Amino acid sequence: SPQQSNVTSSGAITLAIISLEAFAGMWINAFIVCVLCIGWVRKKTLNSNEKILLLLGCSRFWYLFISWAYSFLSRIYPNYLYVHTILQLTVFFQTFFNYSNLWVSACLCGFYCIKIANFRNSFFIYLKVKIDRMVPWLLLGSGILALAMGIIAYDIADKPHCNNHTSSRQGNFGKASIRMDKHFFPSFFLAGFGYAASFMAVIFSAVLLLFSLWRHKCKMQTNALKDLSMDAHIRAMKSILSFLVMYSINFVCLVLEMVYVTQKRSQMTFLIEVFRYAFPGVHSLILIFSNPKLEKTLLKIL
């Protein structure tokens, strides 16, 4: 029927846009991982910033790949996807890499803030001295929390009522069911908590760094020479503020997703999906141009 053909064409367009965003994002993050790994082999060491970027690039690459594979199979070969353990494992890995992406990104913002901001508070000075030793533990903690979220998502997807073909296409926890039952709201509550926790860390880092920049600018008004600390502040602020804007859009998409999760073919669902797939690639591209080493290598390749 005409209505079915319209739905089919709309689904094909959506899949094409998602595929373009996913493969572009995977290429960008694979580039980050390759450059850092090559530098690691040559120097035999990684600094704290590179460790965070390496883990961030890996988590975003696999998140985009698994999300694209889920979208592709759910539209083209749904019978292969909605098989016991296949759907559950897909939800587990997507949730794990998604929350690794979010919390490692928050760690990166916090690292920039502590390294660059200038405050005389004794606790802040202690953090500045110890931050390089704390980075591996922060990354380990992010991985453990993401693993816990993934296990919870697997458990929700493994419920008997979740093994059906009426799965929604959005979200990590809410993918396996669109019913308004007792598992629906707890799943979105957990998802919202994960987003909100990392979002607050980003906001806090941005506010502290902005306040430090303002104080430093006031002190340097009488100095006509170019100040390296000011440049470092500005570069970090560009990265964190761009991330804050994109993080805000991503958080709004989560809220809208909770409203439109039962409306598979709505235009709002399409926009939400487009924004969610664009986020990991676009922000990684911003990180490349805010890192002199990555930017120089990319320009050489281009």
Side-chain angles (χ1 to χ4, degrees), residues 25-35 57 61:
M26 283 190 285
W27 186 91
I28 292 168
N29 286 285
F31 166 79
I32 294 175
V33 172
C34 290
V35 172
F61 176 88

Side-chain angles (χ1 to χ4, degrees), residues 69-88:
Y70 178 89
S71 296
F72 179 81
L73 291 175
S74 64
R75 288 175 170 85
I76 307 300
Y77 301 109
N79 292 332
Y80 291 95
L81 179 63
Y82 300 113
V83 178
H84 186 63
T85 71
I86 299 297
L87 177 63
Q88 288 81 356

Side-chain angles (χ1 to χ4, degrees), residues 115-130:
K115 272 289 187 181
I116 297 173
N118 293 315
F119 295 104
R120 295 182 179 180
N121 183 275
S122 58
F123 179 70
F124 193 85
I125 295 174
Y126 173 81
L127 289 178
K128 188 181 285 287
V129 172
K130 298 291 185 180

Side-chain angles (χ1 to χ4, degrees), residues 24-219:
M26 283 190 285
W27 186 91
I28 292 168
N29 286 285
F31 166 79
I32 294 175
V33 172
C34 290
V35 172
L36 293 177
C37 287
I38 292 171
W40 189 5
V41 171
R42 289 177 178 175
K43 297 187 301 180
K44 308 296 183 183
T45 184
L46 283 176
N47 59 41
S48 298
N49 182 45
E50 291 173 337
K51 290 176 184 176
I52 299 174
L53 287 175
L54 180 61
L55 188 58
L56 184 61
C58 290
S59 62
R60 284 180 169 174
F61 176 88
W62 287 110
Y63 169 71
L64 285 169
F65 175 77
I66 294 172
S67 298
W68 173 83
Y70 178 89
S71 296
F72 179 81
L73 291 175
S74 64
R75 288 175 170 85
I76 307 300
Y77 301 109
N79 292 332
Y80 291 95
L81 179 63
Y82 300 113
V83 178
H84 186 63
T85 71
I86 299 297
L87 177 63
Q88 288 81 356
L89 288 173
T90 302
V91 172
F92 167 79
F93 282 113
Q94 188 179 22
T95 303
F96 171 75
F97 287 117
N98 184 35
Y99 281 95
S100 296
N101 162 30
L102 292 175
W103 286 330
V104 173
S105 300
C107 289
L108 182 63
C109 291
F111 176 80
Y112 283 159
C113 176
I114 293 172
K115 272 289 187 181
I116 297 173
N118 293 315
F119 295 104
R120 295 182 179 180
N121 183 275
S122 58
F123 179 70
F124 193 85
I125 295 174
Y126 173 81
L127 289 178
K128 188 181 285 287
V129 172
K130 298 291 185 180
I131 186 61
D132 289 318
R133 294 182 182 180
M134 293 170 60
V135 164
W137 294 104
L138 289 173
L139 297 179
L140 178 62
S142 299
I144 292 174
L145 288 173
L147 181 63
M149 287 291 188
I151 293 172
I152 294 172
Y154 182 95
D155 181 65
I156 293 173
D158 199 38
K159 299 298 180 182
H161 73 277
C162 292
N163 297 324
N164 55 63
H165 290 248
T166 59
S167 166
S168 79
R169 296 176 298 147
Q170 297 295 325
N172 295 298
F173 290 112
K175 280 191 172 186
S177 175
I178 60 173
R179 297 182 186 177
M180 303 295 286
D181 58 14
K182 63 180 181 179
H183 298 287
F184 184 82
F185 288 108
S187 67
F188 273 112
F189 173 78
L190 289 171
F193 172 77
Y195 275 86
S198 53
F199 188 39
M200 291 302 298
V202 174
I203 292 176
F204 193 63
S205 299
V207 170
L208 282 179
L209 197 56
L210 186 62
F211 182 65
S212 175
L213 175 62
W214 175 75
R215 286 183 57 193
H216 189 74
K217 185 178 179 181
C218 291
K219 291 180 180 179

